[in-house]
Amino acid sequence: MAQALFAEHGYAAASTRAITQAAGVNLAQLHYHFGAKRELFKAAYRRGAEQVTEARRRALAEARAEFGEMPVPLEALVRSFVTPFMLNGQTPEGRATMRMHARLHTEPDDISKEVLSTVYDETTLAYLAEFQRILPDIPHETLCWRLYFMMGAYRYTLLRTGRLEAMSGGACNSGDFERAVAEILPFLCAGLSAPA
C-alpha cells in the first residue's frame, strides 16, 4: 500500500497518515516496523526493485555459465540487463516500482542516491565488467557514459509519456513491453558498440 501511495504522490506528498489508513494500521505500528517515513519509503522501493536486481543476477549467472570462459555476447548481455527492468512494468507492483523509480529523480537528492546505490550498484558494476569484456576497445569512461545513456533510454520508455503514441499516430503502444524490448535491443547494441 505504501508503495502505491509513494508511486502516485511522491515522498513529500504521501503522508504517513494516508499510508496507515490505506494499510489499516495505526501510526505506532508503522513506526515500530519501519521507524521514520524515510525508512518506509526505502523499504517500499526496495521491495519491488530487488526483484529486478535478483532477476538480473540470475540472468548474468546463467549467461556466464552458458558461455564459460568466453565473453557473453553483446545482445545476450544487453537483453539480460534490460529485460528484467522493462518487463517488471507488466505487473501492478512492477508498475508501482517503475513509477517510484521515475519519481526518485524528483525526491530529496540524498534519498534517491542512497536508494539507487543500495539497490543497483552491485549488479550494475558486475554488468559493467562483462560489457568491458565483450567491448575491450571501448575506453572505460566511454563505456560508463554509454551504459548511463542505455539506462536513460529504457527508463524513459517505462514512463509511458504518450510521445510514442503521438509520433506514430497511435500505431505504437508504449505499454507493449515485449515489443519495446525487441525494438530497444538493436538500438542499444549499436550504441554500445559504436567506434569510440
Side-chain angles (χ1 to χ4, degrees), residues 113-125:
K113 283 182 181 174
E114 181 181 349
V115 170
L116 290 171
S117 181
T118 301
V119 175
Y120 295 113
D121 276 3
E122 181 185 339
T123 53
T124 299
L125 293 175

Side-chain angles (χ1 to χ4, degrees), residues 129-145:
E130 286 297 324
F131 279 113
Q132 196 72 76
R133 285 187 71 206
I134 193 64
L135 299 168
D137 296 332
I138 306 296
H140 178 75
E141 293 81 6
T142 299
L143 187 57
C144 289
W145 274 108

